Amino acid sequence: MKKTVLLLFMGLLAFGLQAQTAKIEFKTETIDYGQVERGGDGVRTFEFTNTGDAPLVISDVKSSCGCTIPKKPDGPIAPGTTGSIEVKYDTKRPAGPFRKAITVLSNAETPTKVLKIKGELVDGAK
């Protein structure tokens, strides 16, 4: 009888200690600006969903260059809800193609995620 109670207790303890994890799934991991006129709108948004069973906390968002400014969500993202990371590329730079990386750090099952933006700055609309 003691063994049965002990096994039952251990099973309940193990079940209760299962780790809950946040999972981040982006709608897209690359945003293509296409051709953007110099001085035009450089703001784009990466949308994501927390598909895990614990709140998702994005601790930091960094860009590969000072010409790209990402903005992380302020608070935790509850399981099953969506959030966004806004990225602003400086379109006043010289004309030509660009490719930049944005690194997202979080408490998700995969704690580091790299997003990408690309496009081409042009003088005047084409």
Side-chain angles (χ1 to χ4, degrees):
M1 179 69 178
K2 286 183 180 181
K3 286 184 180 180
T4 305
V5 171
L6 181 62
L7 285 174
L8 182 60
F9 176 74
M10 294 298 285
L12 288 174
L13 182 63
F15 180 75
L17 292 179
Q18 283 184 338
Q20 292 185 327
T21 58
K23 294 181 184 177
I24 189 168
E25 285 190 25
F26 284 90
K27 196 172 186 180
T28 183
E29 293 184 17
T30 301
I31 291 180
D32 188 349
Y33 280 59
Q35 289 189 333
V36 180
E37 188 173 338
R38 287 187 64 227
D41 181 19
V43 177
R44 300 294 186 273
T45 303
F46 286 96
E47 296 178 0
F48 62 87
T49 302
N50 177 1
T51 59
D53 53 11
L56 172 69
V57 177
I58 296 180
S59 54
D60 201 8
V61 181
K62 300 177 184 180
S63 67
S64 59
C65 170
C67 60
T68 306
I69 301 170
K71 183 180 176 191
K72 71 180 186 74
D74 290 330
I77 308 300
T81 61
T82 60
S84 62
I85 295 172
E86 186 178 276
V87 177
K88 182 177 182 180
Y89 180 73
D90 179 9
T91 59
K92 294 179 182 164
R93 301 182 66 77
F98 63 89
R99 291 181 182 274
K100 304 297 173 189
I102 296 96
T103 304
V104 179
L105 303 174
S106 71
N107 67 330
E109 189 173 67
T110 305
T112 304
K113 199 76 162 165
V114 178
L115 307 174
K116 297 176 182 130
I117 61 170
K118 63 181 182 175
E120 181 181 9
L121 287 178
V122 295
D123 289 317
K126 287 188 176 182

